[in-house]
Amino acid sequence: MTPATSLLSPADVDAIWLTLKLAGTTTVLLLLLGTPLAWWLAHSRARWRGVINALVALPLILPPTVLGFYLLVAMGPDGPIGRFTAAAGLHALPFTFAGLVLGSLIYSLPFVVQPIRDAFIAIGPRPREVAATLGARPLDAFFSVILPLARPGFLTATVLGFAHTVGEFGVVLMIGGNIPQETRVVAIQIYDHVEALEYTQAHWLAGGMLLFSFVVLLALHLLNDRRAQA
Amino acid sequence: MLRRCRSLIAVALLATMPAAFAGELTVAVAANFARPVEVMAPVFTAATGHQLRISTGSTGKFYAQIQRGAPFDVFLSADEARPALLETEGRIVPGSRFVYSVGRLALWHATPGRTLTPDTLRADIAGRVAIANPKIAPYGAAAAAAIAHLGLTDALGPRLVHGENIAQTFQFVATGNAAFGFVAWSQVSENGAVVRGSAWLVPPDMHPPIRQSAVLLRHGADNPAAVAFMTFLKSDAARQIIRQHGYDVE
């Protein structure tokens, strides 16, 4: 047990650092993978677009421990993901940082894809048509016209994806195995403190997390407001 | 005919009498002991007429909830420490605290038909070994002690993964993500025989005893059903069910 005199133990600091690393990695990957997906969802006329939309939204509804349990089974030696990683000569994913990133990608997917998709829909076809008449190639038009217009959507997606991953608990609980500096994130550390009756340390970590989340959301609103006024 | 009907009604009324006077209690039970309590419930109801409502969860969470006035009558903890703390805090009926079961630890592998010994862990060096978190779970602390007793602390260190409780530890092994795990004997045995996978029952002298305490909470002090359940827990019928599920009794 850590003496109550120090506010954060080295294990707490490790957990905070790991959480930020996980949320950062997940957010960057989701922006890269989620943008093409959001574009497709916004513009495709395919009949199964509805199916994909529903699949993207599914992590919003599934209890995280359920999602985590099926990830644990899928990543296990007999599961499809586990067989794939074994065949590819990769390390098994459960109890690793890479496994947590994969879990977080699924868990936070709707929080990144949906705001970007809605931003693309809100822009509509008009700016692209104008850009095309002015001679811009589609990719050029996307980067110089669409992306700047969709910036509020991307801002929301980034902040929500990051914050939601920071707050992740159930999935990590199921696939993490509580290994320091590898899978023991802040939410797990708080849970352990509470279970061990170390309420003071739990309060400090939880309070910090609450403050962090509030500041992030406040900053998002202020930024969006300023843009709306500009 | 009418008379027969009347006597039938009388019998029916009589049959419902105990239920009319019967009470109900809510018992908060540590997840590892949920199954024996479920088996006890109909036996207890048949013997006393009282109904049992079972709430399962982790000992640490129940402790925090009871401190904040959760409406539980009886608390079956996974350890001795939390009930003792509740006693010093004046949240239980004085003198009601007693050890209702002693947990046994088992080294477990998901595939049946394997002979497990401590040497298995020395020889079979591939794969993870799952234990419950020693900091928060009594079975985890016992597992860590047994590993130390076997002189395997350093060898197993990098291979260990922690489940938050004994159920999750079991799950890590059952899904094949850990090769071995230290689980509760009660999870893998019935009537003293292994019924799931392969197991080695860890001798009790390799770790501190996993003594689990029961307490009558203040909330249940005046509830006859709660008082009856505390008595029932010490009965031969209850002790037999406890032993059948892989626990020792004192």
Side-chain angles (χ1 to χ4, degrees):
Chain A
M1 223 185 264
T2 329
T5 44
S6 67
L7 300 186
L8 293 176
S9 68
D12 291 342
V13 176
D14 282 346
I16 291 171
W17 173 236
L18 181 73
T19 305
L20 296 177
K21 197 171 91 169
L22 177 66
T25 311
T26 304
T27 308
V28 169
L29 285 176
L30 271 180
L31 286 173
L32 291 176
L33 301 169
T35 304
L37 179 60
W39 181 261
W40 183 82
L41 286 174
H43 297 103
S44 167
R45 287 179 210 285
R47 223 179 296 156
W48 38 286
R49 193 190 54 158
V51 177
I52 303 295
N53 255 323
L55 281 177
V56 166
L58 215 49
L60 288 173
I61 295 142
L62 272 182
T65 44
V66 172
L67 187 62
F69 178 70
Y70 285 107
L71 276 171
L72 183 70
V73 172
M75 289 174 176
D78 299 324
I81 302 174
R83 288 214 179 117
F84 172 77
T85 50
L90 299 169
H91 198 284
L93 284 172
F95 320 127
T96 64
F97 182 73
L100 289 200
V101 171
L102 180 63
S104 306
L105 285 180
I106 296 169
Y107 175 71
S108 294
L109 183 71
F111 289 84
V112 173
V113 170
Q114 290 185 348
I116 302 178
R117 179 199 63 193
D118 295 347
F120 286 157
I121 291 174
I123 291 166
R126 188 90 181 109
R128 264 190 303 154
E129 287 163 11
V130 173
T133 19
L134 293 174
R137 290 169 182 282
L139 209 60
D140 184 21
F142 178 79
F143 281 107
S144 51
V145 179
I146 305 295
L147 269 193
L149 283 175
R151 218 177 76 172
F154 276 94
L155 195 64
T156 307
T158 307
V159 171
L160 285 185
F162 190 88
H164 193 241
T165 309
V166 166
E168 179 174 351
F169 174 70
V171 174
V172 182
L173 183 77
M174 299 305 269
I175 64 175
N178 202 346
I179 299 170
Q181 298 173 3
E182 178 84 24
T183 61
R184 188 188 289 161
V185 296
V186 170
I188 300 282
Q189 184 75 356
I190 293 174
Y191 180 85
D192 284 357
H193 280 321
V194 172
E195 288 286 300
L197 314 187
E198 296 164 354
Y199 293 154
T200 313
Q201 278 153 291
H203 284 321
W204 276 108
L205 265 187
M209 213 163 164
L210 193 72
L211 190 69
F212 166 81
S213 311
F214 177 74
V215 168
V216 163
L217 292 174
L218 183 69
L220 175 74
H221 281 287
L222 291 180
L223 271 171
N224 272 349
D225 282 355
R226 213 176 56 189
R227 276 187 55 82
Q229 282 165 7
Chain B
M1 184 63 197
L2 191 67
R3 187 176 285 174
R4 207 152 151 216
C5 254
R6 224 182 266 158
S7 60
L8 265 179
I9 290 169
V11 167
L13 275 177
L14 273 175
T16 55
M17 287 288 272
F21 290 110
E24 189 181 60
L25 80 144
T26 307
V27 52
V29 54
N32 80 79
F33 203 73
R35 184 76 196 120
V37 172
E38 281 161 17
V39 174
M40 278 178 199
V43 183
F44 172 68
T45 304
T48 65
H50 299 306
Q51 297 288 329
L52 194 60
R53 282 202 302 178
I54 303 166
S55 182
T56 62
S58 88
T59 297
K61 273 197 286 295
F62 277 139
Y63 171 78
Q65 289 170 351
I66 290 165
Q67 272 191 318
R68 304 292 182 285
F72 301 123
D73 298 305
V74 169
F75 175 37
L76 302 184
S77 175
D79 67 357
E80 285 188 286
R82 261 66 73 100
L85 273 176
L86 287 172
E87 179 156 38
T88 46
E89 289 163 8
R91 298 188 186 279
I92 72 166
V93 173
S96 68
R97 183 163 62 94
F98 77 101
V99 175
Y100 65 95
S101 76
V102 182
R104 293 295 303 274
L105 190 67
L107 175 65
W108 190 61
H109 179 73
T111 316
R114 250 186 95 159
T115 308
L116 298 189
T117 67
D119 286 330
T120 315
L121 287 177
R122 294 191 183 93
D124 198 336
I125 55 161
R128 300 279 195 174
V129 177
I131 67 172
N133 190 339
K135 195 175 133 187
I136 59 179
Y139 281 91
I147 289 170
H149 182 95
L150 293 166
L152 288 168
T153 305
D154 291 337
L156 288 188
R159 294 171 64 192
L160 287 185
V161 286
H162 288 170
E164 290 304 325
N165 52 48
I166 205 70
Q168 213 199 351
T169 309
F170 177 87
Q171 199 178 80
F172 282 159
V173 185
T175 55
N177 286 298
F180 301 99
F182 282 92
V183 303
W185 176 240
S186 57
Q187 290 173 303
V188 299
S189 71
E190 259 172 46
N191 297 316
V194 179
V195 289
R196 289 190 189 89
S198 317
W200 170 60
L201 182 59
V202 179
D205 59 355
M206 284 195 181
H207 59 82
I210 308 164
R211 301 172 84 211
Q212 309 193 183
S213 292
V215 285
L216 180 59
L217 297 167
R218 281 233 172 271
H219 185 267
D222 300 323
N223 181 349
V227 177
F229 185 70
M230 290 299 280
T231 310
F232 173 79
L233 262 182
K234 295 175 186 165
S235 70
D236 286 341
R239 288 162 71 93
Q240 194 190 341
I241 293 171
I242 293 171
R243 258 189 253 115
Q244 276 169 355
H245 284 86
Y247 298 87
D248 288 344
V249 283
E250 292 196 328

